[in-house]
Amino acid sequence: MNKLHTGNVYPWQAELEKFIGQLNTTPNRVEDGWTRQRKLAVLEKLVRAYIQHQDETGAIIDPYSESERYYSTPSYALAAAVLVKEGRHDLLESAAAALTHSIACVVEEKAPDQHPDFFPIMMMGAYRLLKHLLPEQATAWKRQLSRIQPEQTYIFTMSKMKNPNRMINWNAIMISGEFLRAAEGLAADAEWMEAYIRSYHLPRFTGLGLYQDGPLDRPNSPFAYDIVTRFHLGVMLENGYDGGCALELRDHLRRGALSSLLALSPHGEIPPRGRSAQHQWNEAAAAFVFTTHARHVLAAGEPGLAGALRRAADLCWQAISRWQTDDGKLHIVRNHYSSEARHGFEVYSNHTCYSLWTAAVLAHTLLYGEGIERIAPAPIPAETGSQVLETDGWFQTVIASVDGQQMVVQTSVNDPYNIPGIVRIQQSSLPPLMGPSSAGHADRGFTGFAEGDIFPLSYSPAWQTEDGKWHSLSEGIPGTLEFDRDGGIDPQDGGGSVQVEQSSASGGSTDITLLWRGPFPGVREIRTHYHQVRGKIEVEYELQGNIQHVGALIPLVAYDGRERSVIHHVMTAGEETESIRVEYAGTILEVVPTTEGTNVAWPEELASVACRNGLLKGARMKCTGSRISFIIRLPE
């Protein structure tokens, strides 16, 4: 049975209208310095870092695994071709060689790591840019590209998989490139795509326009594969797709762009959830979405909203460039560990592939961003006003923002890969990782770490049962089935539930109460209350059940692969008050209990917890009774 939720009414319409009203009444141009030339410089530096890794066949060889990986080479071909279009003619021969090699990999069914489905959109993009410059080679390219038979050549097709649950992002990615091949007259037609789009992709969109990846009956819904699938389908629309699904698809993508804008953090990052989170290509795909929709919105006569979308795209470029090294390469995940260490990498993450795929998507963004500099940047929602957003479908996330500060709460209670609690706090005046920016895990799933223990650590309630054992909400509720990282989970498995009992956003503050029910050890119900203003988040937990102590887990950034924080357990003289202070990257964050008699402990199992950004250290506050409260203080 298909359980995916869609709807006709845009669920965040009130928040969107409030934001547009703020833009119209208090116009505020943002001078962020992200000109087209600055963006080109980021892309060029990234592309030129890999020329030295191109072999005599045109392939890009990964310096760490010493082989060609995934779709590194076609990614390079497209990114280099866009730079050739921009006048970097010395890259022409290199781009052409990469394209020739990539086409051969697909036609001869020798794509590295069995990933041919990712090749066509980049091959066709490079082909379109280079064919007029190299007419003799273009004839050979055309002949080879005309030989592709989609159902035979690619992996994620019904002919190969014979399973509708497997028609996931791979299939949409392949279709986007195949549409470009058909548009160039190199394929018979594009009619066969309609059945795939109609049957397997349109049903995955929520009312918010978010794409739910994973099996149709229980999608695991990573934000990374939402944004990247919308990027690929957006390339189709930008290139004139007008098939039977076009109107519905265009509406989904418009909604998705607005939802991504409303949910974007003040540091230009999409929410953290699911596999491939905090990989740089997430924000590259978002930059494309924001850029293209900024143009469409401006054409529709809404310059203020277009300015916010332009600013969102700029912030995504900024988020990526922050992790570009002096030699032009990227830390492909947001930490400073070496690429050899693979800290926070997925099992499939690869340095060269994900650096160059980021480059390819940024190249697409420049290619379809002509004229965006005529749009004056305006603040994004997370930079102005206040809002509370509850995602629909199976994304299980609540996002609260106020005046340059954002808090992300995950509400999945039976998913060990996406644990419940506050999993991210970001503020524009703090380093992005300070909050911290990601939580621990109950199960590492796809993710590997160079060091640190696997533990479900987030800002979450904790309690000691009558047998003396400590538990936490972040542990979630065990399901009846073993966790399947590929197949996903059923959010109803295990019997838990989460309800937004109340929420409000006005006057520079947000207020949320969540009610958690389920078979938690010794506890029937948990209420978590969050009140946020700029510089401060007040948190209160109330538990109903038979417990000895109530507590709170506190995740603290400890190490990012380069810099260690200094964590203080503060005892105030003359008062029975203990608090926590973290010093990191020249800034300070404090966590101060507000319930009398609260003590701070440092459990051994929380001493070194692995997360995508490095290592966390966890504290546990505790007191008697059924309630505990504390304040997270952030510099204003």
Side-chain angles (χ1 to χ4, degrees):
M1 181 177 68
N2 187 338
K3 298 181 181 178
L4 298 187
H5 167 76
T6 57
N8 294 322
V9 178
Y10 181 59
W12 292 351
Q13 187 66 34
E15 290 83 359
L16 177 63
E17 290 178 359
K18 184 174 78 170
F19 172 63
I20 293 174
Q22 291 170 342
L23 288 175
N24 292 337
T25 56
T26 56
N28 183 15
R29 181 187 174 102
V30 178
E31 298 291 348
D32 58 22
W34 277 99
T35 63
R36 183 175 180 83
Q37 288 306 311
R38 184 178 177 187
K39 294 171 184 177
L40 275 168
V42 170
L43 178 63
E44 183 170 3
K45 189 176 178 182
L46 181 52
V47 168
R48 290 191 183 278
Y50 290 93
I51 294 177
Q52 62 182 308
H53 300 297
Q54 187 173 34
D55 70 10
E56 65 280 0
T57 72
I60 303 298
I61 304 303
D62 180 70
Y64 301 101
S65 58
E66 299 182 345
S67 62
E68 184 184 7
R69 302 306 307 272
Y70 298 95
Y71 33 90
S72 302
T73 304
S75 295
Y76 176 86
L78 172 64
V82 168
L83 289 172
V84 171
K85 175 181 178 293
E86 295 291 333
R88 281 63 166 178
H89 298 294
D90 63 307
L91 292 172
L92 176 59
E93 182 179 349
S94 177
L99 177 57
T100 299
H101 177 82
S102 298
I103 294 172
C105 283
V106 174
V107 172
E108 298 170 14
E109 299 186 12
K110 296 179 180 178
D113 302 301
Q114 297 184 316
H115 272 62
D117 304 53
F118 290 72
F119 277 57
I121 190 170
M122 293 175 282
M123 293 191 311
M124 292 309 306
Y127 170 77
R128 284 178 154 191
L129 292 169
L130 300 178
K131 65 179 182 178
H132 301 299
L133 300 175
L134 299 167
E136 288 190 21
Q137 283 187 262
T139 300
W141 290 334
K142 182 176 181 179
R143 184 171 58 250
Q144 288 283 80
L145 287 167
S146 299
R147 292 174 55 191
I148 295 172
Q149 300 296 321
E151 295 287 336
Q152 169 66 30
T153 301
Y154 302 114
I155 306 297
F156 276 69
T157 65
M158 284 298 289
S159 297
K160 295 279 186 70
M161 292 289 179
K162 305 185 187 306
N163 181 355
N165 276 337
R166 299 301 288 159
M167 297 302 101
I168 57 172
N169 70 86
W170 281 51
N171 180 263
I173 289 169
M174 175 270 288
I175 286 172
S176 66
E178 279 298 299
F179 173 78
L180 297 183
R181 194 169 69 92
E184 283 291 307
L186 304 180
D189 59 63
E191 289 299 315
W192 62 272
M193 303 177 190
E194 297 297 314
Y196 277 111
I197 297 171
R198 175 69 63 190
S199 299
Y200 308 124
H201 299 301
L202 292 183
R204 294 178 178 276
F205 283 97
T206 74
L208 289 170
L210 304 179
Y211 181 90
Q212 300 182 98
D213 197 49
L216 279 164
D217 61 342
R218 57 186 193 285
N220 40 53
S221 299
F223 278 111
Y225 292 96
D226 155 55
I227 196 70
V228 80
T229 307
R230 287 192 279 124
F231 153 71
H232 282 93
L233 295 173
V235 171
M236 282 182 64
L237 288 175
E238 291 294 316
N239 281 276
Y241 168 68
D242 62 355
C245 299
L247 287 177
E248 189 174 347
L249 181 59
R250 188 173 289 110
D251 182 59
H252 286 311
L253 296 190
R254 177 185 59 82
R255 290 168 177 240
L258 296 172
S259 298
S260 292
L261 172 65
L262 287 164
L264 193 70
S265 88
H267 282 293
E269 297 181 23
I270 68 172
R273 174 188 161 81
R275 64 190 182 95
S276 293
Q278 299 207 60
H279 285 56
Q280 308 296 352
W281 55 261
N282 294 194
E283 281 65 35
F288 174 89
V289 168
F290 294 136
T291 296
T292 53
H293 281 84
R295 291 179 22 248
H296 300 325
V297 167
L298 182 66
E302 296 190 66
L305 183 57
L309 287 160
R310 155 76 195 277
R311 166 70 170 163
D314 291 352
L315 284 170
C316 289
W317 280 89
Q318 184 169 303
I320 296 166
S321 67
R322 187 178 288 118
W323 295 93
Q324 189 168 29
T325 61
D326 290 341
D327 65 0
K329 297 174 183 176
L330 286 176
H331 291 284
I332 67 168
V333 181
R334 290 191 166 92
N335 64 61
H336 289 286
Y337 286 82
S338 67
S339 291
E340 295 95 327
R342 295 182 58 83
H343 189 92
F345 282 36
E346 310 295 37
V347 295
Y348 49 75
S349 297
N350 176 270
H351 171 80
T352 299
C353 173
Y354 276 173
S355 285
L356 288 172
W357 196 21
T358 301
V361 180
L362 292 177
H364 264 115
T365 302
L366 288 166
L367 195 60
Y368 295 97
E370 296 285 354
I372 194 174
E373 287 194 299
R374 294 194 296 269
I375 302 173
I380 67 169
E383 292 179 311
T384 183
S386 54
Q387 61 178 354
V388 176
L389 307 167
E390 182 182 4
T391 57
D392 61 356
W394 293 34
F395 286 91
Q396 301 175 293
T397 303
V398 177
I399 303 162
S401 301
V402 54
D403 297 331
Q405 184 172 294
Q406 187 184 78
M407 172 182 70
V408 178
V409 181
Q410 283 183 173
T411 59
S412 46
V413 293
N414 68 342
D415 184 346
Y417 197 53
N418 300 292
I419 66 171
I422 303 176
V423 296
R424 168 180 286 174
I425 298 171
Q426 288 194 341
Q427 190 197 82
S428 55
S429 61
L430 288 176
L433 306 188
M434 181 64 164
S437 185
S438 63
H441 301 271
D443 188 306
R444 70 174 66 234
F446 290 89
T447 314
F449 300 101
E451 58 181 336
D453 299 322
I454 304 302
F455 193 91
L457 179 58
S458 65
Y459 283 103
S460 62
W463 62 93
Q464 187 180 37
T465 50
E466 294 181 334
D467 59 5
K469 294 182 179 179
W470 276 96
H471 307 273
S472 73
L473 177 63
S474 59
E475 295 171 0
I477 299 170
T480 60
L481 301 174
E482 186 175 348
F483 172 59
D484 182 346
R485 71 180 188 184
D486 294 295
I489 53 97
D490 183 341
Q492 298 177 351
D493 186 28
S497 67
V498 188
Q499 174 187 350
V500 178
E501 203 168 49
Q502 71 83 29
S503 69
S504 63
S506 62
S509 70
T510 62
D511 201 83
I512 312 167
T513 302
L514 300 178
L515 175 61
W516 313 72
R517 290 192 176 101
F520 303 110
V523 171
R524 298 182 302 277
E525 289 185 354
I526 301 171
R527 275 186 175 80
T528 60
H529 179 236
Y530 314 97
H531 179 76
Q532 177 180 212
V533 296
R534 170 79 179 187
K536 183 171 67 173
I537 301 173
E538 299 176 8
V539 181
E540 180 180 74
Y541 303 140
E542 179 183 1
L543 284 65
Q544 294 185 16
N546 299 316
I547 60 176
Q548 286 191 27
H549 292 93
V550 64
L553 293 186
I554 310 295
L556 309 165
V557 61
Y559 182 53
D560 63 9
R562 182 180 66 187
E563 181 175 352
R564 296 190 184 276
S565 68
V566 178
I567 298 173
H568 302 273
H569 183 165
V570 180
M571 307 288 290
T572 304
E575 299 181 20
E576 295 183 1
T577 302
E578 303 177 32
S579 62
I580 300 164
R581 185 172 70 246
V582 184
E583 299 174 5
Y584 168 74
T587 58
I588 295 174
L589 179 146
E590 294 180 295
V591 184
V592 181
T594 52
T595 302
E596 188 175 350
T598 299
N599 301 121
V600 177
W602 303 88
E604 181 62 30
E605 64 270 22
L606 303 183
S608 181
V609 176
C611 75
R612 288 196 190 276
N613 306 123
L615 298 177
L616 302 173
K617 182 174 182 177
R620 185 175 64 221
M621 294 180 172
K622 75 168 186 177
C623 65
T624 57
S626 61
R627 296 189 183 193
I628 189 169
S629 59
F630 58 93
I631 294 173
I632 305 167
R633 286 205 179 115
L634 311 162
E636 296 186 54

